[in-house]
Amino acid sequence: MLLVKSQDVNYCQVVRRNGIESEIVPGLLYQNRIFIRGKSYPKDRRDEANRYLRLNFAEGDNKIGILLETDRELTIWYTDSRAVLAIDSEAASSDPIENINLEYVIAAMRGIGGVKIKDRRYRLRVYAQCFIGSEAIEWMRDRFRISREEAVRLGQRLMDAKHIHHVVDDHQFKDGDLFYRFYWDEDN
């Protein structure tokens, strides 16, 4: 069992993949590993936390567990092979837009509080499960505290990585009333 103090770790946001779905979860970095938050215990239940840790994270197991002590509680954190950092710490670029993890962006855009994805009508045609470029720009600006130009670049990164596309593939990512769709939402 490894007991770690809160000042020895760095907190972060983590994207955990589950098939084609992703979720954003609290994470921490410790000794160059990403850990996901598990169960918490009051400080007076240290023995129970230790028992849980020993039972669920045995030697030779694929998951590593640590017990983090803060002023108020003890929390079990564990490794998960499906987890990646929301901000890519190994990105070599000094450009913050290039360092943003696209899986994190997708999970946030498609999650609660994300962009409005719905069927939309233009002229006489209905475009299923899409969002408006200018609304996505506003959402990115608010979420990542970036400029409109940076948000357009981030949207274009999503297009270049084949996560989103213009509904009829006529445009790059633009700050306007154009419809875009996640490839996941395509009709088969």
Side-chain angles (χ1 to χ4, degrees), residues 19-178:
I20 62 168
E21 296 293 317
S22 296
E23 65 178 332
I24 301 166
V25 296
L28 65 81
L29 293 171
Y30 179 69
Q31 294 185 344
N32 295 322
R33 289 199 168 120
I34 300 170
F35 290 83
I36 304 292
R37 184 181 176 95
K39 293 179 79 170
S40 292
Y41 295 88
K43 287 183 101 171
D44 62 347
R45 292 176 48 198
R46 182 183 302 263
D47 290 340
E48 187 179 339
N50 284 333
R51 245 187 328 276
Y52 181 87
L53 191 63
R54 277 193 218 105
L55 287 173
N56 291 286
F57 303 100
E59 295 261 340
D61 199 0
N62 288 338
K63 290 184 180 179
I64 299 169
I66 61 173
L67 187 60
L68 180 71
E69 183 176 12
T70 64
D71 293 338
R72 293 179 286 157
E73 65 184 1
L74 298 164
T75 305
I76 293 175
W77 294 79
Y78 60 92
T79 59
D80 187 331
S81 62
R82 301 169 297 162
V84 294
L85 285 175
I87 302 297
D88 189 354
S89 64
E90 295 185 16
S93 176
S94 62
D95 180 1
I97 301 307
E98 294 298 319
N99 295 339
I100 296 175
N101 184 301
L102 295 182
E103 289 187 31
Y104 170 74
V105 176
I106 292 164
M109 285 179 84
R110 293 177 55 84
I112 295 171
V115 295
K116 293 178 185 168
I117 300 171
K118 63 181 187 178
D119 294 352
R120 299 175 189 273
R121 182 181 303 274
Y122 179 71
R123 296 193 177 156
L124 297 176
R125 183 162 178 201
V126 174
Y127 297 92
Q129 297 298 298
C130 58
F131 60 92
I132 298 172
S134 59
E135 290 178 5
I137 295 291
E138 282 300 318
W139 180 88
M140 287 181 215
R141 286 186 65 221
D142 292 341
R143 180 68 181 224
F144 299 110
R145 304 288 184 238
I146 58 178
S147 69
R148 292 190 88 76
E149 294 77 22
E150 290 171 324
V152 169
R153 288 187 21 241
L154 181 54
Q156 189 58 49
R157 274 193 67 209
L158 290 169
M159 287 187 81
D160 293 344
K162 304 290 186 210
H163 293 294
I164 65 173
H165 69 103
H166 180 258
V167 291
V168 292
D169 297 319
D170 281 349
H171 298 277
Q172 296 293 315
F173 193 78
K174 295 181 182 175
D175 184 3
D177 292 332
L178 300 169

